[in-house]
Coordinates of all heavy atoms in Angstrom, one line a residue:
P140 N -119.3 158.7 53.2 CA -118.5 159.2 52.1 C -118.0 158.0 51.2 O -118.0 156.9 51.6 CB -117.3 159.8 52.8 CG -117.7 159.9 54.3 CD -118.7 158.8 54.5
D141 N -117.7 158.4 50.0 CA -117.1 157.4 49.0 C -115.7 157.8 48.8 O -115.3 158.8 48.2 CB -117.9 157.5 47.7 CG -117.4 156.5 46.7 OD1 -116.5 155.7 47.0 OD2 -118.0 156.4 45.6
A142 N -114.8 157.0 49.4 CA -113.3 157.2 49.2 C -112.9 157.2 47.8 O -111.9 157.8 47.4 CB -112.5 156.2 50.0
L143 N -113.7 156.5 46.9 CA -113.4 156.4 45.5 C -113.8 157.6 44.7 O -113.6 157.6 43.5 CB -113.9 155.1 44.9 CG -113.3 153.8 45.4 CD1 -114.0 152.6 44.7 CD2 -111.8 153.8 45.0
Y144 N -114.5 158.5 45.3 CA -115.0 159.7 44.5 C -114.0 160.4 43.7 O -114.2 160.7 42.6 CB -115.7 160.6 45.5 CG -116.2 161.9 44.8 CD1 -117.2 161.9 43.8 CD2 -115.6 163.1 45.2 CE1 -117.6 163.1 43.3 CE2 -116.0 164.3 44.6 CZ -117.0 164.3 43.6 OH -117.4 165.5 43.0
P145 N -112.8 160.6 44.3 CA -111.7 161.3 43.5 C -111.3 160.5 42.2 O -110.7 161.1 41.3 CB -110.5 161.4 44.4 CG -111.1 161.3 45.8 CD -112.3 160.3 45.6
L146 N -111.6 159.2 42.2 CA -111.2 158.3 41.1 C -112.4 158.0 40.2 O -112.4 157.0 39.4 CB -110.5 157.1 41.6 CG -109.3 157.3 42.5 CD1 -108.7 155.9 43.0 CD2 -108.3 158.1 41.8
G147 N -113.5 158.7 40.4 CA -114.7 158.5 39.6 C -115.8 157.8 40.4 O -116.9 157.6 39.8
G148 N -115.6 157.5 41.6 CA -116.7 156.9 42.4 C -116.7 155.3 42.3 O -116.0 154.7 41.5
Y149 N -117.6 154.7 43.1 CA -117.8 153.3 43.1 C -118.2 152.9 41.7 O -119.2 153.4 41.2 CB -118.8 152.9 44.1 CG -119.2 151.4 44.0 CD1 -118.3 150.4 44.4 CD2 -120.5 151.0 43.5 CE1 -118.7 149.1 44.3 CE2 -120.8 149.7 43.4 CZ -119.9 148.7 43.8 OH -120.3 147.4 43.6
P150 N -117.4 152.0 41.0 CA -117.6 151.7 39.6 C -118.7 150.7 39.3 O -119.0 150.4 38.1 CB -116.3 151.2 39.2 CG -115.7 150.5 40.4 CD -116.2 151.3 41.5
G151 N -119.4 150.1 40.3 CA -120.4 149.1 40.1 C -119.9 147.7 39.9 O -120.7 146.8 39.6
D152 N -118.6 147.5 40.0 CA -118.0 146.2 39.8 C -117.0 146.0 40.9 O -116.1 146.8 41.1 CB -117.3 146.2 38.4 CG -116.6 144.9 38.2 OD1 -115.4 144.7 38.6 OD2 -117.1 144.0 37.6
E153 N -117.1 144.9 41.6 CA -116.3 144.6 42.8 C -114.8 144.6 42.5 O -114.0 145.2 43.2 CB -116.8 143.3 43.5 CG -118.2 143.4 44.0 CD -118.4 144.4 45.2 OE1 -117.8 144.1 46.3 OE2 -119.0 145.4 45.0
D154 N -114.5 143.9 41.5 CA -113.0 143.7 41.1 C -112.4 145.1 40.7 O -111.4 145.5 41.2 CB -112.8 142.7 40.0 CG -113.0 141.3 40.4 OD1 -112.9 141.1 41.7 OD2 -113.2 140.4 39.6
K155 N -113.2 145.8 39.9 CA -112.7 147.2 39.5 C -112.6 148.1 40.8 O -111.7 148.9 40.9 CB -113.6 147.8 38.5 CG -113.5 147.1 37.1 CD -114.5 147.8 36.2 CE -114.5 147.1 34.8 NZ -115.5 147.7 33.9
A156 N -113.6 148.0 41.7 CA -113.6 148.8 42.9 C -112.3 148.5 43.7 O -111.7 149.5 44.2 CB -114.8 148.6 43.6
R157 N -112.0 147.2 43.9 CA -110.8 146.9 44.7 C -109.6 147.4 44.0 O -108.6 147.9 44.7 CB -110.8 145.4 44.9 CG -111.7 144.9 46.0 CD -111.4 143.4 46.4 NE -111.8 142.6 45.3 CZ -113.0 142.0 45.2 NH1 -113.9 142.2 46.1 NH2 -113.3 141.2 44.2
Q158 N -109.5 147.2 42.7 CA -108.3 147.7 42.0 C -108.1 149.2 42.2 O -107.0 149.7 42.4 CB -108.4 147.3 40.5 CG -108.3 145.8 40.3 CD -108.7 145.4 38.9 OE1 -109.0 146.2 38.0 NE2 -108.8 144.1 38.7
L159 N -109.2 150.0 42.0 CA -109.2 151.4 42.2 C -108.7 151.8 43.6 O -107.9 152.7 43.8 CB -110.5 152.0 41.9 CG -110.9 152.3 40.4 CD1 -112.3 152.8 40.3 CD2 -109.9 153.3 39.8
F160 N -109.3 151.0 44.5 CA -109.1 151.4 45.9 C -107.6 151.3 46.3 O -107.0 152.1 47.1 CB -109.9 150.4 46.8 CG -110.2 151.0 48.2 CD1 -111.3 151.8 48.3 CD2 -109.4 150.8 49.3 CE1 -111.7 152.3 49.5 CE2 -109.7 151.3 50.5 CZ -110.9 152.1 50.6
G161 N -106.9 150.3 45.6 CA -105.5 150.1 45.9 C -104.6 151.3 45.4 O -103.4 151.4 45.7
T162 N -105.2 152.1 44.6 CA -104.4 153.2 44.0 C -104.6 154.5 44.8 O -104.0 155.6 44.4 CB -104.8 153.5 42.5 OG1 -106.1 154.0 42.4 CG2 -104.6 152.2 41.7
L163 N -105.5 154.5 45.8 CA -105.7 155.8 46.5 C -104.5 156.2 47.3 O -103.7 155.4 47.8 CB -106.9 155.5 47.5 CG -108.3 155.5 46.9 CD1 -109.3 155.0 48.0 CD2 -108.7 156.9 46.4
D164 N -104.4 157.5 47.5 CA -103.4 158.1 48.4 C -104.0 158.0 49.8 O -104.9 158.9 50.1 CB -103.0 159.5 48.0 CG -102.0 160.2 48.9 OD1 -101.9 159.8 50.1 OD2 -101.3 161.0 48.4
Q165 N -103.6 157.1 50.6 CA -104.3 156.9 51.9 C -104.2 158.1 52.8 O -105.1 158.3 53.7 CB -103.9 155.6 52.5 CG -104.5 154.3 51.9 CD -106.0 154.3 52.0 OE1 -106.6 154.7 53.0 NE2 -106.6 153.7 51.0
D166 N -103.1 158.8 52.7 CA -103.0 160.0 53.5 C -104.1 161.0 53.2 O -104.7 161.6 54.1 CB -101.6 160.7 53.3 CG -100.5 159.9 53.9 OD1 -100.7 159.1 54.9 OD2 -99.3 160.0 53.5
K167 N -104.4 161.2 51.9 CA -105.4 162.1 51.5 C -106.8 161.5 51.9 O -107.7 162.2 52.3 CB -105.4 162.3 50.0 CG -104.2 163.2 49.6 CD -104.2 163.4 48.1 CE -103.1 164.3 47.6 NZ -103.1 164.6 46.2
T168 N -107.0 160.2 51.7 CA -108.2 159.6 52.1 C -108.5 159.7 53.5 O -109.7 160.0 53.9 CB -108.2 158.1 51.6 OG1 -108.1 158.0 50.2 CG2 -109.5 157.4 52.0
R169 N -107.5 159.5 54.4 CA -107.7 159.6 55.8 C -108.2 161.1 56.2 O -109.0 161.3 57.0 CB -106.5 159.3 56.6 CG -106.3 157.8 56.7 CD -105.1 157.4 57.6 NE -103.8 157.6 57.0 CZ -103.1 156.7 56.4 NH1 -103.6 155.5 56.2 NH2 -102.0 157.0 55.8
Q170 N -107.6 162.0 55.5 CA -108.0 163.4 55.7 C -109.4 163.7 55.3 O -110.1 164.5 55.9 CB -107.0 164.4 55.0 CG -105.6 164.4 55.6 CD -105.6 164.9 57.0 OE1 -106.4 165.8 57.4 NE2 -104.8 164.3 57.9
D171 N -109.8 163.0 54.2 CA -111.2 163.1 53.8 C -112.2 162.6 54.8 O -113.3 163.2 55.1 CB -111.5 162.4 52.5 CG -111.0 163.1 51.2 OD1 -110.7 164.3 51.3 OD2 -110.8 162.5 50.2
F172 N -111.8 161.5 55.5 CA -112.7 161.0 56.5 C -112.7 161.9 57.8 O -113.7 162.0 58.5 CB -112.4 159.5 56.9 CG -112.9 158.6 55.8 CD1 -112.1 157.9 54.9 CD2 -114.3 158.3 55.8 CE1 -112.6 157.0 54.0 CE2 -114.8 157.4 54.8 CZ -113.9 156.8 53.9
I173 N -111.5 162.4 58.1 CA -111.5 163.4 59.2 C -112.4 164.6 58.9 O -113.1 165.0 59.8 CB -110.0 163.8 59.5 CG1 -109.2 162.7 60.1 CG2 -110.0 165.1 60.4 CD1 -107.7 163.0 60.2
E174 N -112.3 165.1 57.7 CA -113.1 166.2 57.3 C -114.6 165.8 57.3 O -115.5 166.7 57.7 CB -112.8 166.7 55.9 CG -113.5 168.0 55.4 CD -113.2 169.2 56.3 OE1 -112.2 169.2 56.9 OE2 -114.1 170.0 56.4
S175 N -114.9 164.6 57.0 CA -116.3 164.1 57.1 C -116.9 164.2 58.5 O -118.1 164.6 58.7 CB -116.4 162.7 56.6 OG -116.1 162.6 55.2
V176 N -116.1 163.9 59.5 CA -116.5 164.1 60.9 C -116.8 165.6 61.2 O -117.8 165.9 61.8 CB -115.5 163.5 61.9 CG1 -115.8 163.9 63.3 CG2 -115.3 162.0 61.7

């Protein structure tokens, strides 16, 4: 899964990806990975 999908997906740039990642709601992201299982 791509945790960044709700924010537009992996942007193709490492710095932008890390910046986006820091804005995720980790409670929701954890639920996305549970659902993936």
Side-chain angles (χ1 to χ4, degrees):
D141 187 358
L143 290 179
Y144 174 65
L146 306 180
Y149 173 70
D152 176 275
E153 295 293 290
D154 285 341
K155 290 179 181 177
R157 279 190 291 269
Q158 291 166 8
L159 278 175
F160 208 85
T162 68
L163 284 170
D164 180 332
Q165 284 298 327
D166 288 336
K167 291 183 179 180
T168 298
R169 283 189 283 268
Q170 290 300 320
D171 282 343
F172 282 108
I173 288 173
E174 185 61 28
S175 296
V176 174

